[in-house]
Amino acid sequence: MVDKYPEGEASGEDMEVKRREDAARVLAVLEKTYPRAACALLYDTPLELLVATILSAQCTDLRVNQVTRELFRRYPDVRAYASADPEELEGTIRSTGFFRNKARNLIACAAALLERHDGEVPKTMEELTALPGVGRKTANVVLGNVFDVPGMVVDTHVRRVSRRLGWTKHRDPVKIEQDLSLLLPREKWTLASHLLIFHGRALCRAPVPTCSSCPLSGLCPRCGVVKAK
């Protein structure tokens, strides 16, 4: 009887199983390393998380949390955003960057919530991404953290770390999300996003990662890493 696969070769299915097993080992290490990994944005309601995530574009979570302390006090509900004076809102969120565009999106998003969803934040990807200023990243943050709907958030940290791990070769966030969603168990998507973000901030930084103290040193192929500490 002839072996189906010559020695040293494996089927595409076998290779995919191994990739998933390797990814599971990576997540297990990251879970032990970052046991408190969670959404870094501060919020109490779905609307607050939606607003904070819109503001987080091209801005640090730390800065957003500083801004939203006052923002949430001034605009306590969706009607307050929908009727907000644009210049006043811009002044409140100015330090998050791109404040004019973000203010327009917040006002338009709130108006759409009132018109289409009785002022409530919807619970599906399709409805969320139909709102002004809401893309897949923002939608996945909201779905995963307030509605317990698994979502694979792809931000700059997730993109960088997943490429270095060899989990994707893409740079486009949507394609990266697709690759990671196929590789990782659905129930792990939200947590995996938090873990990769924490790891990207702590050790796997750009442009030079701290590979010498990384808990993944024996598991990571360091794809694209040309210089490391």
Side-chain angles (χ1 to χ4, degrees), residues 122-138:
K123 301 180 180 180
T124 70
M125 174 64 72
E126 293 72 23
E127 291 172 316
L128 281 166
T129 52
L131 297 171
V134 179
R136 290 190 64 87
K137 172 193 165 185
T138 297

Side-chain angles (χ1 to χ4, degrees), residues 47 49-58 98-113 116 125-142:
L47 177 63
L49 182 56
L50 177 60
V51 168
T53 310
I54 290 173
L55 294 180
S56 71
Q58 303 297 313
F98 303 96
F99 58 91
R100 291 190 180 89
N101 188 53
K102 289 178 181 179
R104 283 195 298 269
N105 283 334
L106 289 177
I107 293 171
C109 183
L113 288 175
R116 306 173 198 168
M125 174 64 72
E126 293 72 23
E127 291 172 316
L128 281 166
T129 52
L131 297 171
V134 179
R136 290 190 64 87
K137 172 193 165 185
T138 297
N140 276 322
V141 170
V142 173

Side-chain angles (χ1 to χ4, degrees), residues 63-141:
R63 171 60 62 182
V64 171
N65 289 337
Q66 292 170 344
V67 168
T68 54
R69 291 176 191 170
E70 176 65 14
L71 182 70
F72 294 162
R73 185 188 69 79
R74 288 193 184 190
Y75 304 93
D77 54 41
V78 68
R79 293 186 182 279
Y81 287 104
S83 61
D85 175 78
E87 290 188 4
E88 182 179 334
L89 181 55
E90 288 173 8
T92 307
I93 66 173
R94 180 180 295 270
S95 64
T96 67
F98 303 96
F99 58 91
R100 291 190 180 89
N101 188 53
K102 289 178 181 179
R104 283 195 298 269
N105 283 334
L106 289 177
I107 293 171
C109 183
L113 288 175
L114 287 170
E115 180 181 348
R116 306 173 198 168
H117 305 289
D118 297 322
E120 300 295 324
V121 176
K123 301 180 180 180
T124 70
M125 174 64 72
E126 293 72 23
E127 291 172 316
L128 281 166
T129 52
L131 297 171
V134 179
R136 290 190 64 87
K137 172 193 165 185
T138 297
N140 276 322
V141 170

